[in-house]
Amino acid sequence: PAEFLEYLYRCDRSKYIKELMGDRTRTGMAFKIADEKFFKPNPENYRPEVDDVVLMFTDGEPVRRRGEQTFGDVKYRSNRNGERLLAKDRADNLKDRGITVVGLAVGPESRISRFRADIQSWVTTPVSKYYYEAKT
């Protein structure tokens, strides 16, 4: 993780903003996809001693636009909290199956402070081992 964080610090921030940053952060959608892909341990993992890992790399709090897919469940329908609940539920599913969830928050402290508690609740414990920040 240290090498990856160093790489992020050296990145061209203007290129990052132009090419990678979007207007919404569909964290719940990302965890839903990961949860479906990691339905069971990967049979092609020829290293049974190595755990499956999901890296959640995000620069924003979980949000969806009005009218975007809510996956049917009533509790996920809120535009304000639905994506957050979906992310939490799907991250818990992954962890319950023994998949390691690592979180990396990127951005200025003013932005990270708005979603730090979310990411820390999604990652595998202990949080001090599986949660990282790269402040820009």
PDB file of all heavy atoms in Angstrom, residues 68-84:
ATOM      1  N   GLU A  68     -31.866   6.782 -10.660  1.00  0.00           N
ATOM      2  CA  GLU A  68     -30.936   5.703 -10.995  1.00  0.00           C
ATOM      3  C   GLU A  68     -31.355   4.417 -10.295  1.00  0.00           C
ATOM      4  O   GLU A  68     -32.073   4.442  -9.299  1.00  0.00           O
ATOM      5  CB  GLU A  68     -29.497   6.075 -10.600  1.00  0.00           C
ATOM      6  CG  GLU A  68     -28.870   7.071 -11.539  1.00  0.00           C
ATOM      7  CD  GLU A  68     -27.419   7.350 -11.219  1.00  0.00           C
ATOM      8  OE1 GLU A  68     -27.087   7.506 -10.029  1.00  0.00           O
ATOM      9  OE2 GLU A  68     -26.630   7.432 -12.154  1.00  0.00           O
ATOM     10  N   GLN A  69     -30.887   3.302 -10.787  1.00  0.00           N
ATOM     11  CA  GLN A  69     -31.249   1.969 -10.293  1.00  0.00           C
ATOM     12  C   GLN A  69     -31.106   1.871  -8.773  1.00  0.00           C
ATOM     13  O   GLN A  69     -30.093   2.254  -8.215  1.00  0.00           O
ATOM     14  CB  GLN A  69     -30.339   0.934 -10.957  1.00  0.00           C
ATOM     15  CG  GLN A  69     -30.543  -0.490 -10.513  1.00  0.00           C
ATOM     16  CD  GLN A  69     -31.932  -1.010 -10.718  1.00  0.00           C
ATOM     17  OE1 GLN A  69     -32.728  -1.009  -9.795  1.00  0.00           O
ATOM     18  NE2 GLN A  69     -32.243  -1.457 -11.911  1.00  0.00           N
ATOM     19  N   THR A  70     -32.160   1.352  -8.120  1.00  0.00           N
ATOM     20  CA  THR A  70     -32.146   1.189  -6.667  1.00  0.00           C
ATOM     21  C   THR A  70     -32.178  -0.274  -6.248  1.00  0.00           C
ATOM     22  O   THR A  70     -32.197  -0.574  -5.073  1.00  0.00           O
ATOM     23  CB  THR A  70     -33.346   1.906  -6.023  1.00  0.00           C
ATOM     24  OG1 THR A  70     -34.548   1.330  -6.534  1.00  0.00           O
ATOM     25  CG2 THR A  70     -33.303   3.395  -6.283  1.00  0.00           C
ATOM     26  N   PHE A  71     -32.252  -1.191  -7.198  1.00  0.00           N
ATOM     27  CA  PHE A  71     -32.203  -2.634  -6.951  1.00  0.00           C
ATOM     28  C   PHE A  71     -33.406  -3.145  -6.182  1.00  0.00           C
ATOM     29  O   PHE A  71     -33.320  -4.145  -5.493  1.00  0.00           O
ATOM     30  CB  PHE A  71     -30.890  -3.024  -6.266  1.00  0.00           C
ATOM     31  CG  PHE A  71     -29.712  -2.466  -6.997  1.00  0.00           C
ATOM     32  CD1 PHE A  71     -29.001  -1.409  -6.485  1.00  0.00           C
ATOM     33  CD2 PHE A  71     -29.364  -2.958  -8.241  1.00  0.00           C
ATOM     34  CE1 PHE A  71     -27.945  -0.864  -7.185  1.00  0.00           C
ATOM     35  CE2 PHE A  71     -28.314  -2.404  -8.952  1.00  0.00           C
ATOM     36  CZ  PHE A  71     -27.603  -1.361  -8.418  1.00  0.00           C
ATOM     37  N   GLY A  72     -34.544  -2.442  -6.299  1.00  0.00           N
ATOM     38  CA  GLY A  72     -35.805  -2.969  -5.826  1.00  0.00           C
ATOM     39  C   GLY A  72     -36.105  -2.872  -4.356  1.00  0.00           C
ATOM     40  O   GLY A  72     -37.244  -2.671  -3.979  1.00  0.00           O
ATOM     41  N   ASP A  73     -35.144  -3.042  -3.502  1.00  0.00           N
ATOM     42  CA  ASP A  73     -35.391  -3.055  -2.066  1.00  0.00           C
ATOM     43  C   ASP A  73     -35.771  -1.649  -1.595  1.00  0.00           C
ATOM     44  O   ASP A  73     -35.096  -0.674  -1.895  1.00  0.00           O
ATOM     45  CB  ASP A  73     -34.147  -3.537  -1.321  1.00  0.00           C
ATOM     46  CG  ASP A  73     -34.436  -3.910   0.117  1.00  0.00           C
ATOM     47  OD1 ASP A  73     -35.121  -3.126   0.814  1.00  0.00           O
ATOM     48  OD2 ASP A  73     -33.981  -4.978   0.546  1.00  0.00           O
ATOM     49  N   VAL A  74     -36.854  -1.558  -0.848  1.00  0.00           N
ATOM     50  CA  VAL A  74     -37.367  -0.266  -0.383  1.00  0.00           C
ATOM     51  C   VAL A  74     -36.303   0.533   0.363  1.00  0.00           C
ATOM     52  O   VAL A  74     -36.182   1.742   0.188  1.00  0.00           O
ATOM     53  CB  VAL A  74     -38.613  -0.469   0.522  1.00  0.00           C
ATOM     54  CG1 VAL A  74     -39.036   0.831   1.170  1.00  0.00           C
ATOM     55  CG2 VAL A  74     -39.741  -1.070  -0.275  1.00  0.00           C
ATOM     56  N   LYS A  75     -35.485  -0.131   1.177  1.00  0.00           N
ATOM     57  CA  LYS A  75     -34.523   0.627   1.986  1.00  0.00           C
ATOM     58  C   LYS A  75     -33.429   1.284   1.150  1.00  0.00           C
ATOM     59  O   LYS A  75     -32.748   2.178   1.620  1.00  0.00           O
ATOM     60  CB  LYS A  75     -33.917  -0.244   3.079  1.00  0.00           C
ATOM     61  CG  LYS A  75     -32.923  -1.269   2.639  1.00  0.00           C
ATOM     62  CD  LYS A  75     -32.424  -2.017   3.871  1.00  0.00           C
ATOM     63  CE  LYS A  75     -31.354  -3.019   3.543  1.00  0.00           C
ATOM     64  NZ  LYS A  75     -30.853  -3.669   4.736  1.00  0.00           N
ATOM     65  N   TYR A  76     -33.262   0.879  -0.113  1.00  0.00           N
ATOM     66  CA  TYR A  76     -32.237   1.470  -0.976  1.00  0.00           C
ATOM     67  C   TYR A  76     -32.779   2.601  -1.854  1.00  0.00           C
ATOM     68  O   TYR A  76     -32.051   3.167  -2.645  1.00  0.00           O
ATOM     69  CB  TYR A  76     -31.607   0.411  -1.883  1.00  0.00           C
ATOM     70  CG  TYR A  76     -30.991  -0.748  -1.147  1.00  0.00           C
ATOM     71  CD1 TYR A  76     -31.178  -2.044  -1.593  1.00  0.00           C
ATOM     72  CD2 TYR A  76     -30.209  -0.555  -0.018  1.00  0.00           C
ATOM     73  CE1 TYR A  76     -30.607  -3.120  -0.931  1.00  0.00           C
ATOM     74  CE2 TYR A  76     -29.642  -1.621   0.657  1.00  0.00           C
ATOM     75  CZ  TYR A  76     -29.841  -2.903   0.193  1.00  0.00           C
ATOM     76  OH  TYR A  76     -29.285  -3.962   0.845  1.00  0.00           O
ATOM     77  N   ARG A  77     -34.047   2.944  -1.734  1.00  0.00           N
ATOM     78  CA  ARG A  77     -34.663   3.912  -2.648  1.00  0.00           C
ATOM     79  C   ARG A  77     -34.314   5.357  -2.375  1.00  0.00           C
ATOM     80  O   ARG A  77     -34.417   6.188  -3.263  1.00  0.00           O
ATOM     81  CB  ARG A  77     -36.178   3.734  -2.656  1.00  0.00           C
ATOM     82  CG  ARG A  77     -36.539   2.423  -3.315  1.00  0.00           C
ATOM     83  CD  ARG A  77     -37.987   2.336  -3.634  1.00  0.00           C
ATOM     84  NE  ARG A  77     -38.230   1.001  -4.190  1.00  0.00           N
ATOM     85  CZ  ARG A  77     -39.360   0.372  -4.116  1.00  0.00           C
ATOM     86  NH1 ARG A  77     -40.389   0.948  -3.533  1.00  0.00           N
ATOM     87  NH2 ARG A  77     -39.485  -0.822  -4.626  1.00  0.00           N
ATOM     88  N   SER A  78     -33.905   5.689  -1.188  1.00  0.00           N
ATOM     89  CA  SER A  78     -33.567   7.081  -0.868  1.00  0.00           C
ATOM     90  C   SER A  78     -32.337   7.513  -1.654  1.00  0.00           C
ATOM     91  O   SER A  78     -31.320   6.833  -1.660  1.00  0.00           O
ATOM     92  CB  SER A  78     -33.277   7.205   0.631  1.00  0.00           C
ATOM     93  OG  SER A  78     -32.570   8.380   0.906  1.00  0.00           O
ATOM     94  N   ASN A  79     -32.441   8.652  -2.335  1.00  0.00           N
ATOM     95  CA  ASN A  79     -31.277   9.176  -3.053  1.00  0.00           C
ATOM     96  C   ASN A  79     -30.168   9.578  -2.087  1.00  0.00           C
ATOM     97  O   ASN A  79     -29.004   9.503  -2.414  1.00  0.00           O
ATOM     98  CB  ASN A  79     -31.668  10.388  -3.904  1.00  0.00           C
ATOM     99  CG  ASN A  79     -32.464   9.990  -5.113  1.00  0.00           C
ATOM    100  OD1 ASN A  79     -32.307   8.900  -5.647  1.00  0.00           O
ATOM    101  ND2 ASN A  79     -33.340  10.874  -5.544  1.00  0.00           N
ATOM    102  N   ARG A  80     -30.552  10.001  -0.896  1.00  0.00           N
ATOM    103  CA  ARG A  80     -29.562  10.477   0.079  1.00  0.00           C
ATOM    104  C   ARG A  80     -28.853   9.331   0.793  1.00  0.00           C
ATOM    105  O   ARG A  80     -27.643   9.364   0.957  1.00  0.00           O
ATOM    106  CB  ARG A  80     -30.237  11.390   1.087  1.00  0.00           C
ATOM    107  CG  ARG A  80     -29.304  11.938   2.123  1.00  0.00           C
ATOM    108  CD  ARG A  80     -29.928  13.132   2.822  1.00  0.00           C
ATOM    109  NE  ARG A  80     -29.092  13.625   3.868  1.00  0.00           N
ATOM    110  CZ  ARG A  80     -28.072  14.456   3.685  1.00  0.00           C
ATOM    111  NH1 ARG A  80     -27.779  14.871   2.490  1.00  0.00           N
ATOM    112  NH2 ARG A  80     -27.363  14.878   4.697  1.00  0.00           N
ATOM    113  N   ASN A  81     -29.583   8.315   1.235  1.00  0.00           N
ATOM    114  CA  ASN A  81     -28.972   7.243   2.031  1.00  0.00           C
ATOM    115  C   ASN A  81     -29.018   5.868   1.386  1.00  0.00           C
ATOM    116  O   ASN A  81     -28.386   4.941   1.875  1.00  0.00           O
ATOM    117  CB  ASN A  81     -29.625   7.173   3.415  1.00  0.00           C
ATOM    118  CG  ASN A  81     -29.282   8.381   4.249  1.00  0.00           C
ATOM    119  OD1 ASN A  81     -28.131   8.776   4.333  1.00  0.00           O
ATOM    120  ND2 ASN A  81     -30.291   8.986   4.853  1.00  0.00           N
ATOM    121  N   GLY A  82     -29.770   5.715   0.322  1.00  0.00           N
ATOM    122  CA  GLY A  82     -29.908   4.402  -0.297  1.00  0.00           C
ATOM    123  C   GLY A  82     -28.600   3.809  -0.771  1.00  0.00           C
ATOM    124  O   GLY A  82     -28.310   2.631  -0.553  1.00  0.00           O
ATOM    125  N   GLU A  83     -27.778   4.611  -1.413  1.00  0.00           N
ATOM    126  CA  GLU A  83     -26.476   4.124  -1.920  1.00  0.00           C
ATOM    127  C   GLU A  83     -25.563   3.747  -0.761  1.00  0.00           C
ATOM    128  O   GLU A  83     -24.845   2.760  -0.816  1.00  0.00           O
ATOM    129  CB  GLU A  83     -25.827   5.195  -2.796  1.00  0.00           C
ATOM    130  CG  GLU A  83     -24.686   4.692  -3.623  1.00  0.00           C
ATOM    131  CD  GLU A  83     -25.107   3.841  -4.808  1.00  0.00           C
ATOM    132  OE1 GLU A  83     -26.296   3.794  -5.162  1.00  0.00           O
ATOM    133  OE2 GLU A  83     -24.214   3.199  -5.384  1.00  0.00           O
ATOM    134  N   ARG A  84     -25.625   4.520   0.306  1.00  0.00           N
ATOM    135  CA  ARG A  84     -24.823   4.246   1.508  1.00  0.00           C
ATOM    136  C   ARG A  84     -25.240   2.909   2.143  1.00  0.00           C
ATOM    137  O   ARG A  84     -24.392   2.091   2.511  1.00  0.00           O
ATOM    138  CB  ARG A  84     -25.012   5.401   2.488  1.00  0.00           C
ATOM    139  CG  ARG A  84     -24.263   5.297   3.761  1.00  0.00           C
ATOM    140  CD  ARG A  84     -24.402   6.571   4.591  1.00  0.00           C
ATOM    141  NE  ARG A  84     -23.366   7.510   4.176  1.00  0.00           N
ATOM    142  CZ  ARG A  84     -23.606   8.671   3.542  1.00  0.00           C
ATOM    143  NH1 ARG A  84     -24.833   9.053   3.272  1.00  0.00           N
ATOM    144  NH2 ARG A  84     -22.621   9.460   3.199  1.00  0.00           N
TER     145      ARG A  84
END
